[in-house]
Amino acid sequence: MLKIIPERFRQGYRTSAFPRREPQLSARFRGVPQIDGGKCPPTCHYCVDNCPMQAITRVAGKVVIDLGRCLFCAKCVCPHDAISFSADYRLAVRERRQLQLSADDSLELAQPLADELRRLFGRSLKLRQVSAGGCNACEADFNVLGVPTFDLGRFGIQVVASPRHADGLLVTGPVTANMRAALLDTYAALPEPRLVIVSGACAISGGPFAASAVAGNGVDELLPVDLYVPGCPPHPYTLLDGLLRLLGRR
Amino acid sequence: MVDSAVRISNNDVVALADVQLWPLPRFIAAIDVELAGGARVVSYFAHHGGTAKVELWCVLAHDDRGELMVLRSHSDAEFPSLAARHPQIQLFEREIYEQFSLVPVGHPWLKPIRFEPSWRDHAASAAVIGDFTPYQVAGEEIHEVAVGPVHAGVIEPGHFRFQCHGEEVKHLEISLGFQHRGVEHLLVGGPTAATLLQMEALAGDTTIGHTSAYCQLCESLGGVKITPAAARLRAIALELERLANHVGDVGALSGDTGFLTTASYCGSIRGNILNLSADICGNRFGRGLLRPGGVNFAVDEALAQDLLEKLDAIEDETNGAIALFYDSPSVLARMDGVGCVSMAVAAELGLVGPAARASGLVRDVRQHYPGVADDDFTAAEVENAGDVQARALVRRREIAASFALVRQRLQQLPPGEVALPVASLLPEHIGVALVEGWRGEIVHVAITDDAGRFARYKVVDPSFHNWSGLAMALRGQQISDFPLCNKSFNLSYCGFDL
Ligand code: SF4
Ligand code: SF4
């Protein structure tokens, strides 16, 4: 006990000032892509051909990145300097189509829940997490929100053990054939109204294993989704920002 | 008879034509003799060789000589099981059965392992997940506790069945496969542009470990030697991955002993270590850092200096935080003698990594099969008791060793290029790559076709060996010891399920 007290002082106060102050992310962090359409030569397909995830299309001349498929690998960064990755970690949206990011456009970040739901969940949201084929990085970076740095509890958001106690599911992974029934059972056990939050490219689109016959192609083929959080995995601040936006607290 | 077998080192390749196809009895007898003589199975798998028969490939390790033996045979319907004599091979045989419908005759425990559809017999319907006959202890006072696939915490899915007499666990059976994404299937015909990203996500907390093994294979099969600067950066990233996970696990152990002080400090500190990886490559898990031929990001003087300063601060905080845990008598008493795996059992099961080393087995790829950047690695950290405390102590010593390695390596970063182009892979060759990930030995084996594409790509995550260690650790323990035992191993579900 006596040793704990000085150690407590040394370790100091660790909780970040977020959301009052913006977080400091590493200089090489790859956040929201910026597509400068003016730099794209008319017939260029460099990014379309180089994306390993087939996340990029050119629609009516405009480059469009599907952030639901994107793994932020930066293979699309081209010799024309048209695509770059900004430091903006805010990526969460309410609808799948909003993840189609067109050249020279910006993301429509998540709008809050409707008033009634916000009244219910705005100050206390209990989540049940289900990993459905995730690689454990998405799970790890959700788990990390519980450490003192992020201190998820201070926002009234808490992870609960039983779906019966939960207001929503936070799903990671593409929903493998072998996890489909367990996910649906868990969802069925949640009292209504219930939210579904999907975190990571896997849960949005199938992610790196989308081409597999047994891996699955994301949660919204099975359940209605209220919040999409892109990334592989999403940065903890990306997820936290999304959760707070959903609750109308940012 | 084993004399004519092909012997290679880590990261070597051999032409398929140079590996003789042995008759099945000779192949099985050779494995039997080698295992009885102290060898380990590092990989054993089936492969569609293009004929009606299915090929069997086995890679055995002789740690004392740093030597890998490659054996090859074939069969069309069955092969003799060695599982009863050598438990370390039992899961490999079941995998061959599940993937290629070859029956290991005489296998005492033949059950599905991932509930995946057969690669060979497309008409056969896959076993339904969870549909298996668990081992049952009989008796009026025996009760069964079933947990999962969806657990209480934020963890991956798996199914656990405890056979209990009162509080005492007589037997724990672990049935997995929920995370099965068909990875090995997807890799056939590669490498494609997506392969690297799939390797990074085989097991997310082991991004660097698995991706290193993949890159090493591409390089040996592509005839490229990466630069010293690239090798050093990879070796740094691998130790950072070990550090982050070990520190996180000490925190988790601390949480499960009810010692919340260290648990919460370690949670934050782990994040700070992940952030060092992000400083190098922009991603906390090292996504985007490695590529066949080298690495995608260089570390210049200024960044190295910045990383060193952060590392010093993190090391101080870590030492302070974990000392509270390891110096607390109540904590030690909770871990002492719990979840014991004796050296004999660990050897029989073929355990690897810190779990093996905590039971007194000297097993570390960095020591026995060193890579180019492992010249500064001194010796594996070993404990003897085999209990939760021993596994915790091995982690503590490895934390200290990894801090020292990262520091030393950052201080002497070789100058020069960090990435070289990789030519296409040699056709009709087999390559083997071993990496000591934070959980233990990662093994990737690739067999290429006549165009240099992957005809078969076999992945063995350390968890493949070690889940049986956790099951054995629970025997005779209280059911309430499970979380603690589980954290002391902290195994991967997705790495096992693939
Ligand atoms: S960063 Fe995203 S869009 Fe660009 S190549 Fe990678 S996966 Fe494709
Ligand atoms: S999105 Fe990426 S990090 Fe998340 S589970 Fe899938 S592969 Fe892992």
Side-chain angles (χ1 to χ4, degrees), chain B residues 231-256:
Chain B
R232 186 65 64 89
L233 284 174
R234 277 191 195 169
I236 289 171
L238 189 66
E239 294 310 316
L240 285 176
E241 187 166 271
R242 194 180 324 279
L243 267 178
N245 283 297
H246 280 1
V247 169
D249 281 354
V250 172
L253 274 173
S254 187
D256 276 338

Side-chain angles (χ1 to χ4, degrees), chain A residues 134-135 137-138 200-202 208 231-233, chain B residues 201 287:
Chain A
C135 76
C138 274
C202 280
C232 183
Chain B
R287 304 280 161 97

Side-chain angles (χ1 to χ4, degrees), chain B residues 192-380:
Chain B
T192 65
T195 308
L196 182 66
L197 298 169
Q198 290 160 350
M199 291 295 166
E200 291 183 330
L202 279 186
D205 50 25
T206 315
T207 295
I208 300 294
H210 276 292
T211 313
S212 295
Y214 167 69
C215 290
Q216 285 168 213
L217 269 183
C218 289
E219 287 145 11
S220 55
L221 286 165
V224 183
K225 224 175 146 255
I226 61 169
T227 64
R232 186 65 64 89
L233 284 174
R234 277 191 195 169
I236 289 171
L238 189 66
E239 294 310 316
L240 285 176
E241 187 166 271
R242 194 180 324 279
L243 267 178
N245 283 297
H246 280 1
V247 169
D249 281 354
V250 172
L253 274 173
S254 187
D256 276 338
T257 48
F259 194 72
L260 298 185
T261 324
T262 299
S264 54
Y265 296 156
C266 283
S268 303
I269 297 169
R270 172 180 162 278
N272 294 344
I273 302 171
L274 294 177
N275 288 340
L276 296 182
S277 297
D279 284 342
I280 299 176
C281 72
N283 181 289
R284 287 154 54 89
F285 296 86
R287 304 280 161 97
L289 177 56
L290 273 61
R291 56 179 275 186
V295 292
N296 282 319
F297 294 89
V299 172
D300 61 13
E301 277 273 348
L303 179 54
Q305 208 44 51
D306 179 47
L307 291 170
L308 279 166
E309 277 164 29
K310 289 180 179 164
L311 190 77
D312 285 342
I314 293 173
E315 185 171 13
D316 276 352
E317 287 167 2
T318 306
N319 289 342
I322 69 178
L324 294 178
F325 173 74
Y326 289 100
D327 293 349
S328 162
S330 58
V331 165
L332 297 178
R334 179 69 187 91
M335 300 193 292
D336 190 14
V338 173
C340 253
V341 181
S342 69
M343 183 149 110
V345 169
E348 256 188 19
L349 296 176
L351 300 194
V352 295
R357 297 194 281 276
S359 294
L361 295 173
V362 186
R363 289 185 179 172
D364 196 314
V365 174
R366 295 169 296 172
Q367 179 168 332
H368 302 298
Y369 308 89
V372 274
D374 284 328
D375 48 351
D376 51 0
F377 181 76
T378 42

Side-chain angles (χ1 to χ4, degrees), chain B residues 81-101:
Chain B
S81 168
L82 291 171
R85 286 169 51 73
H86 307 288
Q88 59 163 317
I89 208 169
Q90 68 97 8
L91 207 48
F92 287 103
E93 293 181 346
R94 282 163 62 187
E95 185 183 43
I96 291 168
Y97 174 59
E98 184 164 273
Q99 291 184 329
F100 283 85
S101 315

Side-chain angles (χ1 to χ4, degrees), chain B residues 34 37-40 61-67 362 367-369:
Chain B
E34 292 298 316
R40 291 187 301 116
H62 283 283
D63 295 339
D64 48 344
R65 308 200 285 274
E67 181 187 279
V362 186
Q367 179 168 332
H368 302 298
Y369 308 89

Side-chain angles (χ1 to χ4, degrees), chain B residues 14-54:
Chain B
V14 197
L16 298 185
D18 291 339
V19 189
Q20 276 180 27
L21 193 74
W22 284 1
L24 195 57
R26 180 179 178 197
F27 171 81
I28 296 290
I31 298 174
D32 190 13
V33 167
E34 292 298 316
L35 293 184
R40 291 187 301 116
V41 193
V42 296
S43 197
Y44 183 22
F45 58 92
H47 163 49
H48 247 322
T51 62
K53 292 197 172 190
V54 174

Side-chain angles (χ1 to χ4, degrees), chain A residues 152-222:
Chain A
L152 194 59
R154 71 193 154 124
F155 304 107
I157 306 172
Q158 203 187 351
V159 181
V160 292
S162 166
R164 301 258 183 236
H165 302 157
D167 305 315
L169 283 184
L170 189 144
V171 188
T172 52
V175 194
T176 54
N178 286 350
M179 261 313 277
R180 180 186 280 247
L183 174 66
L184 293 177
D185 284 353
T186 310
Y187 180 72
L190 257 72
E192 293 184 60
R194 51 199 166 182
L195 304 177
V196 176
I197 296 160
V198 297
S199 183
C202 280
I204 301 175
S205 69
F209 303 104
S212 161
V214 293
N217 289 96
V219 178
D220 67 6
E221 292 188 340
L222 297 166

Side-chain angles (χ1 to χ4, degrees), chain A residues 30 33 47-56 64-67 69-77 83 85, chain B residues 197:
Chain A
R30 293 179 291 283
C47 58
V48 177
D49 297 341
N50 274 280
C51 172
M53 289 295 117
Q54 287 91 44
I56 309 185
V64 182
I65 302 185
D66 179 357
L67 293 178
R69 302 183 74 106
C70 177
L71 306 183
F72 296 80
C73 70
K75 290 280 187 306
C76 50
V77 172
I83 298 182
F85 287 82
Chain B
L197 298 169

